[in-house]
Amino acid sequence: MSLKLYVDSQFVSPYAISAYVALREKGLDFKLETVNLDAGQNKEPSFTAKSLTGRVPCLVHDDFMLTESSAITEYLEEMYPAPHYPSLYPVRPEKRAIARQVQAWIRSDLQALREDRSTYTVFYKRAEQPEPPLSPAAQAAANKLLQLAGRLVNGDYLFGSWCIADTDLAIMLSRLVMNGDPVPQKLKDYVIFQSQRPSLQDWLKHINLMPA
């Protein structure tokens, strides 16, 4: 078995984070490769031959290649199922479906918020360079995010124990939390708790190694 994960060279893609965390949570050995998106390495034949969509993350499993983070996490869940490997999704079908719903929604909505509060500002933010106030469109997206999270979050986890949707939602919320935007305390506590998970902390080590 050979597993390789291609991620962005700045380590800020929330989708690459999701795939990375999934591999770590499964306890799988894999090789990490970076792709410089600013330099267009994702458009070079050496990468497009591996990535069907020319995007990161890209998982290579022996001779099989797969992109799109939610597809990667579901593939890992099926290839390395519980109880032999830790689960990425809730056991109950209804909760599993909601977790996938949250993942799909985060990836398909909230574009204005992603533009105003990129994950670069989360991981490389400088206190002396605060981000400007949210645009009306971004504030509307933030309100939608806070409303959904407020309904789902009740404690440390969405469904009583960790699942991959916890990581995805916490990273989306961190766009607001880390930039000082108004966020209810219970959601701030949720983001802080999720950020301490070893699999996510392992990802953050790569950012700490980046030059300032």
Side-chain angles (χ1 to χ4, degrees):
M1 178 195 75
S2 174
L3 285 166
K4 183 182 296 186
L5 182 68
Y6 289 85
V7 303
D8 61 297
S9 58
Q10 289 188 314
F11 294 95
V12 295
S13 166
Y15 314 116
I17 295 172
S18 187
Y20 182 95
V21 165
L23 285 160
R24 284 287 184 236
E25 293 288 340
K26 286 290 185 185
L28 300 170
D29 292 327
F30 64 97
K31 184 177 181 181
L32 188 67
E33 297 282 355
T34 60
V35 179
N36 190 327
L37 303 182
D38 291 337
Q41 288 184 345
N42 58 311
K43 299 177 182 178
E44 295 176 358
S46 59
F47 183 70
T48 57
K50 305 180 183 72
S51 173
L52 182 64
T53 60
R55 307 209 299 183
V56 296
C58 175
L59 178 71
V60 179
H61 185 190
D62 294 331
D63 296 327
F64 177 68
M65 297 92 167
L66 185 66
T67 58
E68 306 307 313
S69 58
S70 56
I72 290 172
T73 57
E74 292 193 21
Y75 174 77
L76 292 172
E77 184 78 333
E78 294 179 4
M79 290 297 296
Y80 304 97
H84 299 294
Y85 297 89
S87 181
L88 301 177
Y89 291 92
V91 174
R92 289 182 56 186
E94 297 89 350
K95 292 183 177 180
R96 181 177 290 239
I98 293 174
R100 286 171 168 159
Q101 178 182 356
V102 170
Q103 285 189 292
W105 180 70
I106 286 173
R107 287 158 173 75
S108 62
D109 204 345
L110 311 176
Q111 180 60 34
L113 178 57
R114 290 199 295 268
E115 291 175 355
D116 275 26
R117 298 290 186 264
S118 72
T119 45
Y120 189 90
T121 69
V122 173
F123 299 122
Y124 295 99
K125 179 176 171 57
R126 300 294 182 265
E128 67 274 13
Q129 297 176 346
E131 293 298 305
L134 292 170
S135 67
Q139 185 61 63
N143 293 342
K144 287 172 63 178
L145 172 63
L146 295 176
Q147 182 181 29
L148 178 142
R151 291 176 60 185
L152 287 179
V153 173
N154 186 21
D156 295 333
Y157 305 104
L158 292 175
F159 306 107
S161 59
W162 181 87
C163 76
I164 191 64
D166 281 304
T167 296
D168 290 346
L169 181 59
I171 290 172
M172 180 56 77
L173 286 168
S174 70
R175 297 170 188 262
L176 298 173
V177 173
M178 297 302 292
N179 280 290
D181 296 298
V183 175
Q185 188 61 48
K186 79 165 186 175
L187 298 183
K188 289 183 180 179
D189 293 342
Y190 171 77
V191 169
I192 292 171
F193 182 82
Q194 291 298 326
S195 71
Q196 298 306 310
R197 194 159 186 90
S199 56
L200 185 54
Q201 283 291 310
D202 196 48
W203 172 272
L204 295 176
K205 291 176 183 177
H206 295 287
I207 295 175
N208 293 336
L209 294 174
M210 295 286 288

